[in-house]
Amino acid sequence: MTHTTWVLESGVFPRSHTPLREAVVAAGHRLVEWDDAWWSDGIPANVDDTHTLFHGSLGNAARIHDELNWTPGSFCNASAFRCSAWYDSVREWLLHTDWRFLPANELVDSAAEVAASLGCTNRIFVRPDSPLKPFSGRVLDVASLSLAALDHGFYFDDEALPVVAAPIRTIGCEWRFVVVDKVVVAGSAYDAATRTATSDRSNSDAWAYAQTIAGVIPPPADVYILDVCECDGELRLIELNPFGGADLYVCDGFAIVRAVSQFALDT
């Protein structure tokens, strides 16, 4: 087989999927549009299990990993991407130097104690442990920290949802990189607040920093996303994310399709 099948849920990432789609077609690979009806009607017989790749929503990426026999599939093993699974192994580079893993309701009940243990007073940063992002990471007032402030009942119902609590850090520029078999193959600078992005060069300091990390850490998947930021005048690792459900911003679609497809064909 000389081609892969790319299954794209393009309605989720219309901007970044435009160059991705062009790259898939230009390289002679097969392009298939994802349809949620497949979960009830069954996957079409003409979609092979092997050499098939998915990119789209996090929910579908995780479910495809867990329920379908596609290989390589979606590169979205949620357990491997939990912060609690990889934080310790990247401590040398991580944005946070101190943190606590605990259930959300325990954090709410002991917010002042948790904050004090992290050297915080009035405010604290909280994010979900899960890479599936049941709520967005945010800065909260310790005195009024509640489950409602974490969007409980809106995006999730489990009061004991595992979360990460950490001191607040001020972030400057941010970058997103695509890693394939421990090699950074594409990158994009981006502004998380405005969701604007610009391409990044392979000779940039951020790219070199990302490659250093990717070359030595235990990878959560063969293909994944590595996010870097500038903080207090130095580069730091923000997080690792599943490739299958991550916004690619303006990462080079042709470079991504070339590297990921070749990996799929080689495995």
Side-chain angles (χ1 to χ4, degrees):
M1 179 178 288
T2 59
H3 71 271
T4 60
T5 298
W6 282 79
V7 180
L8 300 182
E9 190 179 5
S10 294
V12 180
F13 303 117
R15 181 179 179 183
S16 61
H17 272 198
T18 296
L20 204 64
R21 291 165 62 88
E22 293 173 355
V24 169
V25 173
H29 299 298
R30 187 172 177 225
L31 177 64
V32 177
E33 295 294 334
W34 170 263
D35 188 338
D36 277 342
W38 293 356
W39 290 124
S40 57
D41 300 344
I43 305 299
N46 63 349
V47 178
D48 297 329
D49 285 347
T50 57
H51 305 305
T52 297
L53 301 148
F54 173 84
H55 191 272
S57 65
L58 267 172
N60 277 331
R63 190 172 176 184
I64 286 168
H65 175 275
D66 293 343
E67 299 183 21
L68 300 185
N69 293 321
W70 291 358
T71 56
S74 64
F75 298 105
C76 190
N77 180 347
S79 295
F81 282 95
R82 287 185 174 276
C83 296
S84 53
W86 56 266
Y87 260 34
D88 279 335
S89 67
V90 301
R91 183 182 291 270
E92 177 181 349
W93 300 279
L94 196 61
L95 174 65
H96 299 299
T97 56
D98 296 293
W99 59 81
R100 288 274 299 273
F101 296 118
L102 70 171
N105 54 2
E106 184 177 323
L107 172 62
V108 170
D109 292 342
S110 57
E113 181 275 325
V114 172
S117 72
L118 294 169
C120 305
T121 52
N122 299 326
R123 309 179 78 200
I124 193 171
F125 174 77
V126 184
R127 63 152 293 163
D129 182 33
S130 171
L132 303 184
K133 310 293 176 66
F135 67 90
S136 59
R138 61 198 62 184
V139 174
L140 296 171
D141 292 330
V142 174
S144 59
L145 203 157
S146 66
L147 288 173
L150 297 174
D151 294 333
H152 174 261
F154 187 63
Y155 289 118
F156 69 96
D157 295 316
D158 181 9
E159 294 187 357
L161 181 80
V163 300
V164 186
I168 299 167
R169 302 297 306 272
T170 301
I171 294 175
C173 298
E174 299 181 55
W175 295 266
R176 169 155 290 183
F177 296 99
V178 179
V179 180
V180 180
D181 198 18
K182 295 191 174 184
V183 176
V184 175
V185 301
S188 171
Y190 68 95
D191 185 316
T194 63
R195 297 187 71 81
T196 57
T198 58
S199 60
D200 193 59
R201 308 177 315 279
S202 60
N203 62 350
S204 73
D205 290 341
W207 189 303
Y209 182 75
Q211 181 57 68
T212 296
I213 297 172
V216 296
I217 67 171
D222 292 313
V223 179
Y224 67 96
I225 300 296
L226 189 155
D227 289 344
V228 168
C229 71
E230 185 276 328
C231 180
D232 296 333
E234 63 179 2
L235 294 169
R236 304 299 294 175
L237 170 65
I238 303 177
E239 62 181 354
L240 309 178
N241 284 299
F243 171 80
D247 194 335
L248 301 174
Y249 299 115
V250 293
C251 287
D252 186 337
F254 285 84
I256 293 170
V257 168
R258 183 168 54 250
V260 178
S261 294
Q262 190 60 55
F263 178 85
L265 292 171
D266 289 343
T267 55

